[in-house]
Amino acid sequence: MNDKTSSSNGTCHHYDSHWESLGRPNGSYKQWPNAMHIKAGTPWHISYIIGGLLFALGIAAGHHFYLSSFIASTDVRASPSQFWVRAINNVFSHAVAITLGIVCTYSTVQAVWYTAGSSPIPILTLNRLFLLPAPNAIWGLFRPPYSVHLIPPVLLALCMQTLIFVTIFSPNSLSSGPADSQITNVSVPTLTLSATDMSLNHRQLNQRLGAAIAPVWEQVISTAMTTPPTTYWRVPHGCGVACSYNLTYFAPGIDCYDLPNEEVTLPPMEINVYLHCSGRNSKFFEGSSIFVKNGMNGQDQNGSSAYWLLFQYITGDDGQRDDPRVDCPFYLRPPRAVRCTFREAMYRMSYNFSNSIQTVSSSLVKYGDPLPRVFPPITTRAVNYHALAKVFSASFHGDIEYRADQVFTNITSELALRQIFTLRERPQPFLFEPTDGQPELLGKSVIDLFTNMTIGVMAFRTDNTTVKALVWDGSIVWKYDGRTLWLVYGIAFALASLSSLYGLYCLWCNEGAIDPTFSTFLFTITRTEQLYKRFKTIRDMEEVEGTKIQFSSKAEAFFLVKERE
């Protein structure tokens, strides 16, 4: 049998012929069997390494099939119980880890014997080497004396130790959580103003401003203006535990813009301050519309051909104004005005119900034509559009004045006014300003208020439509994440495969598989006469551990002793 060349150039190590002549068995040792007896299990070792990898792969595939086909998306309350589902999941994970651990163990054993024959190694280091893959042996090999030949078996031992993480992370691929929401047809409230007349008698609708509004609907519209949109909403039937949907509907809209200063009819700031501080009447808010203008019901002195609403106001607060004529405790700003026009409009509403809480919002998508003051022909839709515009406008009719150090409010609905203005009276510090504190955004506040009103009115009507809603029925199911499972298994198989390749290479270099059994050690040690002579006179264990020996895997399979230099 030819000697093999050094492992440094990619092949197996060789043995010094002088060493072999010193250590070769002779005499009575000739009667011992050769190394083929300790390498008789080579086919089994190869089958354990290659077959173990394939068997572990089959278990991993079975694990994936079990979770994806039988467990994923099933109700956690169904049979089998949660205990058995998780227990079987853990069994698969441990089975894969144990099988790969066996593969790595056989590979490490061959790497250890190969390393023992790669160079002369102190017996102390061999003690640690043959304890691999034990954690204390790994740690011991990181201490001197060092050798590059020790790196491969240490790495293989580390790979085997990391397999414990397979049992920790792979079960995390299975968890429980809410079932996926399903798209379902659900009947929901909407606003269809071509149905359910809001007037007392729509035949009374004239060609100007219309008929009287039914008191119940007048109260409904007023309530919708001053309460959150979902206050009177009922969860749609079929919404389950949680649902969400979008809805498009048509209703009147309001379009607002600031008037230029020359069109504001409230007194200028200087005169107003004088009136205010001298105790005379001082008006700092006035609301009017096409429906009520300067106290004349139904008369439009503005000459407009469309529905309109006008806010004129002066914001102010307590503060010392530097006025040379009068010592005034109020700081009032220049008058402002916002004019709004009612128009056709399209809205998009978003509804969400979750955790027993409803949230609804609506946004104005686009405007249509201005609402006409003449309704040819008289229709239910025209009556209802007229009702929404009239009640909304009438809520702001009136004014707010300051007289004799007191604030007098003469507004149809002060509660509606407080939705867009902040009014704070004495004895608190006086304050009157738009609720968001920015007069330039008052028009937007009015638009938002009218939009929310249309949502609130839906809760009191019987108009319904069918929409595609995303519905969750409240069930909790098993969730399987295949990416997590195969990421963990993929890393484990990659490490085990590299260990197997190196283990098979070492097995080939050793000319067969060698077991780490006591009989193997007895066979290899007692065959060396040189080893016996070397240790016969040694009485110090430190000297024993410092002696360097090298394993020869040739036909005789024995250890060689390196003499001291």
Side-chain angles (χ1 to χ4, degrees):
M1 185 178 298
N2 295 329
D3 292 345
K4 298 178 181 178
T5 58
S6 173
S7 60
S8 61
N9 56 21
T11 57
C12 301
H13 51 267
H14 74 284
Y15 306 97
D16 190 291
S17 58
H18 173 67
W19 277 48
E20 290 196 29
S21 63
L22 291 175
R24 186 181 303 277
N26 53 41
S28 62
Y29 295 95
K30 293 284 188 178
Q31 62 186 354
W32 281 69
N34 61 26
M36 294 303 297
H37 290 76
I38 65 172
K39 299 178 182 179
T42 298
W44 286 106
H45 282 72
I46 296 175
S47 63
Y48 288 150
I49 294 176
I50 299 177
L53 278 176
L54 297 177
F55 187 65
L57 184 61
I59 298 174
H63 192 186
H64 168 75
F65 182 74
Y66 164 73
L67 293 179
S68 61
S69 301
F70 296 100
I71 301 301
S73 301
T74 60
D75 196 318
V76 297
R77 294 166 293 185
S79 181
S81 66
Q82 295 185 45
F83 170 79
W84 287 111
V85 169
R86 295 190 182 278
I88 296 173
N89 184 43
N90 290 332
V91 167
F92 274 109
S93 300
H94 282 75
V96 171
I98 291 172
T99 305
L100 292 180
I102 294 173
V103 172
C104 290
T105 298
Y106 277 92
S107 300
T108 303
V109 167
Q110 303 311 311
V112 166
W113 281 106
Y114 175 70
T115 302
S118 61
S119 65
I121 299 175
I123 291 180
L124 176 61
T125 302
L126 287 175
N127 291 339
R128 299 164 182 169
L129 182 65
F130 278 94
L131 284 176
L132 291 177
N136 61 322
I138 298 174
W139 172 249
L141 291 174
F142 280 103
R143 291 179 290 178
Y146 302 109
S147 173
V148 293
H149 299 289
L150 301 175
I151 296 178
V154 169
L155 291 178
L156 265 63
L158 287 174
C159 288
M160 181 177 173
Q161 294 296 337
T162 57
L163 292 176
I164 190 175
F165 293 105
V166 172
T167 64
I168 297 174
F169 293 110
S170 62
N172 292 334
S173 60
L174 182 66
S175 61
S176 59
D180 294 336
S181 299
Q182 303 295 322
I183 297 178
T184 308
N185 290 328
V186 177
S187 179
V188 300
T190 187
L191 196 58
T192 306
L193 294 178
S194 57
T196 313
D197 195 334
M198 293 184 181
S199 69
L200 287 173
N201 185 348
H202 81 271
R203 292 186 178 85
Q204 298 176 0
L205 185 66
N206 58 40
Q207 291 186 339
R208 298 294 292 176
L209 296 179
I213 301 170
V216 62
W217 285 112
E218 187 172 355
Q219 181 62 38
V220 164
I221 297 171
S222 298
T223 301
M225 289 179 60
T226 56
T227 57
T230 57
T231 302
Y232 299 98
W233 269 61
R234 294 180 296 275
V235 178
H237 180 70
C239 217
V241 176
C243 73
S244 62
Y245 63 85
N246 295 321
L247 172 68
T248 299
Y249 64 95
F250 296 88
I254 192 168
D255 185 15
C256 301
Y257 57 92
D258 289 337
L259 285 180
N261 293 335
E262 57 270 17
E263 295 186 28
V264 180
T265 60
L266 284 182
M269 182 183 64
E270 290 78 8
I271 299 176
N272 208 289
V273 168
Y274 175 73
L275 295 175
H276 200 114
C277 297
S278 62
R280 298 169 60 184
N281 291 356
S282 175
K283 185 183 297 185
F284 55 87
F285 174 83
E286 181 183 73
S288 57
S289 75
I290 190 174
F291 301 102
V292 178
K293 173 65 176 169
N294 292 335
M296 295 180 289
N297 186 23
Q299 300 298 317
D300 180 15
Q301 297 181 353
N302 199 308
S304 172
S305 61
Y307 287 95
W308 55 268
L309 173 63
L310 178 65
F311 299 94
Q312 297 189 88
Y313 62 97
I314 299 174
T315 60
D317 54 55
D318 278 350
Q320 189 67 32
R321 176 172 173 79
D322 186 15
D323 192 300
R325 297 172 299 171
V326 62
D327 183 15
C328 180
F330 296 105
Y331 183 82
L332 302 177
R333 298 169 183 84
R336 301 178 68 100
V338 171
R339 183 182 178 88
C340 301
T341 302
F342 292 94
R343 310 170 67 95
E344 302 267 2
M346 182 175 75
Y347 296 88
R348 178 171 291 115
M349 186 190 77
S350 296
Y351 175 86
N352 183 73
F353 172 64
S354 179
N355 297 323
S356 301
I357 298 175
Q358 298 181 89
T359 57
V360 60
S361 62
S362 185
S363 58
L364 199 151
V365 178
K366 66 178 180 179
Y367 288 110
D369 296 331
L371 293 187
R373 291 166 51 200
V374 179
F375 293 95
I378 299 173
T379 63
T380 299
R381 177 177 178 275
V383 172
N384 292 338
Y385 271 53
H386 162 82
L388 292 174
K390 183 174 182 179
V391 174
F392 185 84
S393 299
S395 300
F396 300 102
H397 289 167
D399 53 41
I400 302 177
E401 295 182 339
Y402 179 84
R403 297 196 305 269
D405 203 29
Q406 292 185 4
V407 175
F408 292 88
T409 303
N410 182 29
I411 300 292
T412 303
S413 175
E414 184 178 340
L415 188 58
L417 180 71
R418 290 181 180 272
Q419 304 301 311
I420 57 175
F421 281 99
T422 299
L423 175 60
R424 192 172 62 204
E425 305 177 37
R426 293 186 173 183
Q428 296 179 335
F430 173 80
L431 176 66
F432 183 75
E433 65 179 11
T435 51
D436 56 13
Q438 302 181 54
E440 61 272 12
L441 297 181
L442 177 61
K444 181 179 181 303
S445 298
V446 176
I447 294 173
D448 292 342
L449 180 62
F450 191 88
T451 300
N452 288 336
M453 181 197 71
T454 63
I455 302 174
V457 170
M458 287 186 192
F460 297 93
R461 292 177 61 87
T462 58
D463 311 329
N464 285 279
T465 187
T466 300
V467 298
K468 298 287 186 182
L470 199 60
V471 178
W472 176 51
D473 61 5
S475 61
I476 304 297
V477 299
W478 292 111
K479 301 275 190 176
Y480 168 54
D481 184 1
R483 291 175 299 179
T484 299
L485 183 73
W486 286 111
L487 175 63
V488 176
Y489 281 167
I491 295 174
F493 276 101
L495 295 176
S497 298
L498 292 175
S499 299
S500 300
L501 290 175
Y502 187 75
L504 292 173
Y505 167 75
C506 293
L507 184 149
W508 177 73
C509 290
N510 293 336
E511 300 180 358
I514 307 176
D515 286 321
T517 59
F518 175 77
S519 57
T520 301
F521 287 112
L522 181 65
F523 181 84
T524 55
I525 292 174
T526 57
R527 289 171 58 82
T528 308
E529 184 178 6
Q530 182 201 23
L531 197 64
Y532 170 75
K533 293 179 180 179
R534 177 71 181 84
F535 291 105
K536 183 172 63 173
T537 58
I538 293 180
R539 297 292 182 268
D540 187 355
M541 183 57 67
E542 183 176 349
E543 185 177 356
V544 172
E545 293 178 344
T547 302
K548 291 184 178 181
I549 62 176
Q550 182 177 0
F551 175 68
S552 169
S553 62
K554 289 192 173 258
E556 295 81 4
F558 57 90
F559 277 95
L560 306 169
V561 180
K562 181 179 180 181
E563 298 295 340
R564 293 183 180 179
E565 299 177 355

